[in-house]
């Protein structure tokens, strides 16, 4: 409870910023070029071509319908978390049109516009997820598919996005569908970077017959600490030494080449690490 109270202001800010960026991206990068963003915003854009009312009103009606569906299938506690989305997103969708009037992208490549638009959607989605608030929209549909059809979030997301992209191809043309895919790929990449972060370090797990030579080089030449773990081969049942070391990404290739130079038969696993409790990358320890 104390942690929730402490992060309340931060989470509200992240959620509101995510909604604002998403609405701005819709009005600036997608709606003018008939390229659908993913999620319920894509449905809003499709319906706006057949229903002659403001997109913010269409968005509000869709959000309201989703809110009712959430209440029917998941109850009051679940649907209560969607009220902020139902109100905020259509409001931001309407208000950001005032900003887009002063931004001219007429001479900008559509490919570049989709890259920037996808990045904005990825940023907004990442901020909303970090806020721990329900993003609403098709997220409710995904939860329904998981509950009643036992579909994972990844599978249901892929299915719905595929339907949206195919529909946009028929409605707006093949080019529009291709640009929608580009924005989706960029968005997915940025979401991961916002949520997980950018990897500054690499963790090396090294199994070698020459642990002393590799350890000495890492400690004396690169000045990084090494953890030595006793390991046993699952197939051969032989005892070996496993070296674990955290190095900055900039020195990743140097250590990789070193390991291959000292022991060509060495097995090593290299993974990204996004957070470490040890400061200065374990250097001079």
């Amino acid at each position: 409870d104390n942690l929730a109270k402490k992060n309340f202001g931060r989470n509200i800010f992240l959620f509101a910023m995510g909604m604002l960026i998403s609405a701005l991206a819709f009005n600036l990068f997608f709606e003018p070029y008939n390229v659908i963003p993913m999620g319920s915003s894509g449905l809003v854009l499709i319906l706006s071509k057949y229903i002659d009312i403001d997109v913010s009103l269409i968005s509000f009606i869709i959000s309201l319908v989703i809110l009712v569906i959430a209440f029917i299938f998941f109850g009051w506690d679940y649907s209560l978390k969607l009220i902020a989305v139902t109100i905020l997103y259509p409001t931001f969708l309407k208000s950001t049109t005032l900003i887009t009037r002063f931004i001219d992208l007429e001479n900008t490549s559509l490919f570049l516009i989709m890259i920037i638009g996808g990045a904005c959607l990825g940023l907004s989605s990442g901020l909303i997820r970090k806020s721990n608030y329900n993003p609403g929209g098709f997220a409710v549909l995904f939860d329904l598919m998981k509950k009643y059809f036992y579909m994972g979030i990844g599978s249901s997301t892929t299915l719905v996005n595929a339907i949206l992209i195919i529909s946009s191809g028929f409605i707006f043309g093949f080019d529009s569908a291709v640009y929608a895919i580009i924005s989706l790929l960029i968005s997915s990449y940025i979401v991961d970077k916002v949520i997980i972060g950018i990897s500054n370090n690499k963790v090396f797990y090294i199994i070698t017959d020459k642990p002393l030579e590799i350890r000495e080089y890492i400690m004396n030449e690169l000045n990084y600490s090494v953890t030595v773990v006793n390991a046993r081969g699952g197939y051969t049942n032989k005892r070996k030494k496993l070296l674990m070391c955290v190095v900055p990404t900039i020195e990743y290739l140097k250590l990789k080449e070193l390991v291959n130079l000292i022991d060509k038969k060495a097995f090593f696993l290299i993974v990204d690490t996004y957070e470490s409790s040890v400061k200065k990358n374990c250097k001079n320890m």
Side-chain angles (χ1 to χ4, degrees):
D1 291 339
N2 290 333
L3 182 61
K5 291 178 181 178
K6 182 179 179 180
N7 293 331
F8 178 76
R10 167 188 171 274
N11 291 341
I12 285 290
F13 174 77
L14 291 177
F15 179 76
M17 285 301 299
M19 287 283 117
L20 179 61
I21 293 172
S22 178
L24 181 61
F26 178 91
N27 284 321
L28 187 60
F29 302 115
F30 293 95
E31 196 269 341
Y33 305 99
N34 289 329
V35 177
I36 64 167
M38 294 302 103
S40 58
S41 297
L43 180 60
V44 169
L45 183 56
I46 290 174
L47 292 178
S48 69
K49 300 306 172 183
Y50 298 99
I51 304 173
D52 189 22
I53 58 176
D54 193 88
V55 291
S56 61
L57 182 56
I58 296 175
S59 175
F60 178 72
I61 293 171
I62 291 175
S63 297
L64 207 57
V65 171
I66 290 173
L67 181 63
V68 173
I69 293 173
F71 176 75
I72 293 172
F73 289 96
F74 296 108
W76 175 250
D77 289 339
Y78 182 97
S79 56
L80 184 64
K81 300 173 183 178
L82 300 175
I83 293 178
V85 181
T86 305
I87 298 172
L88 270 184
Y89 187 69
T91 302
F92 284 149
L93 209 53
K94 183 64 176 179
S95 59
T96 50
T97 56
L98 301 176
I99 300 175
T100 56
R101 293 174 186 174
F102 300 98
I103 302 176
D104 183 14
L105 299 176
E106 183 177 350
N107 297 321
T108 306
S109 163
L110 185 55
F111 181 78
L112 179 59
I113 289 173
M114 287 304 107
I115 290 178
I116 299 173
C120 288
L121 288 185
L123 174 61
S124 69
S125 182
L127 291 175
I128 293 169
R129 294 186 189 185
K130 289 190 77 170
S131 73
N132 293 319
Y133 282 92
N134 193 317
F138 282 173
V140 177
L141 177 61
F142 301 150
D143 287 342
L144 278 172
M145 296 170 74
K146 180 179 180 180
K147 182 177 180 179
Y148 293 102
F149 299 100
Y150 306 103
M151 292 184 64
I153 297 297
S155 299
S156 56
T157 302
T158 302
L159 176 62
V160 171
N161 286 340
I163 293 173
L164 282 175
I165 290 172
I166 293 171
S167 300
S168 72
F170 283 108
I171 298 170
F172 302 118
F174 177 75
D175 289 350
S176 176
V178 172
Y179 284 120
I181 294 173
I182 292 172
S183 69
L184 172 62
L185 294 176
I186 297 297
S187 174
S188 301
Y189 177 79
I190 297 297
V191 167
D192 290 339
K193 294 304 177 184
V194 172
I195 295 176
I196 301 175
I198 298 174
S199 170
N200 295 318
N201 301 315
K202 304 286 186 185
V203 178
F204 277 74
Y205 298 95
I206 308 165
I207 297 178
T208 174
D209 291 327
K210 299 179 179 180
L212 293 179
E213 292 93 325
I214 294 177
R215 186 193 68 176
E216 290 300 315
Y217 186 92
I218 294 173
M219 295 180 66
N220 297 329
E221 299 296 327
L222 298 181
N223 294 318
Y224 291 97
S225 67
V226 180
T227 299
V228 181
V229 181
N230 291 321
R232 186 189 295 272
Y235 179 75
T236 62
N237 205 35
K238 292 181 179 179
R239 292 182 178 274
K240 289 197 173 185
K241 299 294 184 183
L242 183 147
L243 307 180
M244 185 184 76
C245 177
V246 180
V247 299
T249 299
I250 194 172
E251 298 200 77
Y252 148 71
L253 287 176
K254 185 187 294 185
L255 181 53
K256 179 183 175 182
E257 291 173 358
L258 157 81
V259 173
N260 284 322
L261 183 64
I262 295 177
D263 184 5
K264 293 182 179 180
K265 296 182 179 179
F267 170 83
F268 54 86
L269 176 67
I270 307 168
V271 297
D272 290 320
T273 178
Y274 298 94
E275 187 172 347
S276 174
S277 61
V278 181
K279 295 182 179 180
K280 295 186 179 180
N281 304 320
C282 304
K283 198 160 188 174
N284 298 322
M285 287 182 59

